[in-house]
Amino acid sequence: MFLKQGAFWGMIIGLVVGTVRLILDFSYGFPRCGEPDNRPDIITRFHFLHFAILLFALCILATVVISLLTEPQDKDKLVRLTWWTRHSEEMPVDLSDSEEEEEEETEKEENGELQLEVTEQDVQVQDGGQRGSRSMMGMLVTGWNWFCGFSDIPTKKQTKAEKVASLKVITSLKEDRFWGRFVNITALVLMTIGIFFWGFFA
């Protein structure tokens, strides 16, 4: 199984080796007619497509070796994250929350002390619900958040039960049969058109 460390360093190794080959290609250039070709053999005798195959094999080898040398992730943290566990009925572990945070949240819920730190009324001003004057940087941040679909109003911190229900919906693989067929047919049509254009103009 590939781990994130193996995938990352495999990508970095491929990037470094490919960059070295690219620099060599651009630094030496092509000799003019009648001039001897003094470029290294890695450029003159090793076609770039063959080099791409070698680079692909090198990346796969590095990814596999580094993954095997890395401590594997706990199986309960891989639920629905791999091909073999995609239909698992178990709920995946939330890696962002530690056990201490969950205990504190449960204790606050039991004591009735879990409240919003900032509510929507705190964000709005009193004069007709209009926002007060902001600095230029604040306006840029607000515009950027609006463009990216972010909200300035802090969202309510979910309880453990709400997180489980929300995660169940997000990680669900159920798909409407009509839209599934629609996407597959559309992909097939686009691939057919692309292959036609590639063959016609090649």
Side-chain angles (χ1 to χ4, degrees), residues 96-112:
S96 62
D97 293 338
S98 62
E99 296 180 358
E100 292 78 11
E101 292 176 348
E102 292 181 357
E103 292 177 357
E104 291 178 2
E105 182 178 339
T106 304
E107 183 178 354
K108 288 183 179 180
E109 290 175 358
E110 293 176 353
N111 298 332

Side-chain angles (χ1 to χ4, degrees), residues 93-136:
V93 178
D94 190 357
L95 302 179
S96 62
D97 293 338
S98 62
E99 296 180 358
E100 292 78 11
E101 292 176 348
E102 292 181 357
E103 292 177 357
E104 291 178 2
E105 182 178 339
T106 304
E107 183 178 354
K108 288 183 179 180
E109 290 175 358
E110 293 176 353
N111 298 332
E113 298 177 355
L114 186 60
Q115 298 178 353
L116 292 176
E117 296 181 358
V118 181
T119 61
E120 184 176 355
Q121 290 76 13
D122 296 330
V123 179
Q124 295 178 347
V125 294
Q126 300 298 328
D127 52 348
Q130 299 294 329
R131 297 179 184 271
S133 59
R134 298 184 177 184
S135 63
M136 180 61 68

Side-chain angles (χ1 to χ4, degrees), residues 175-190:
E175 183 182 37
D176 185 84
R177 181 172 297 180
F178 169 79
W179 290 111
R181 291 178 178 177
F182 176 80
V183 171
N184 292 335
I185 294 174
T186 304
L188 182 61
V189 171
L190 292 177

Side-chain angles (χ1 to χ4, degrees), residues 3 64-71:
L3 300 179
V64 172
V65 171
I66 295 175
S67 296
L68 292 176
L69 296 177
T70 306
E71 183 179 357

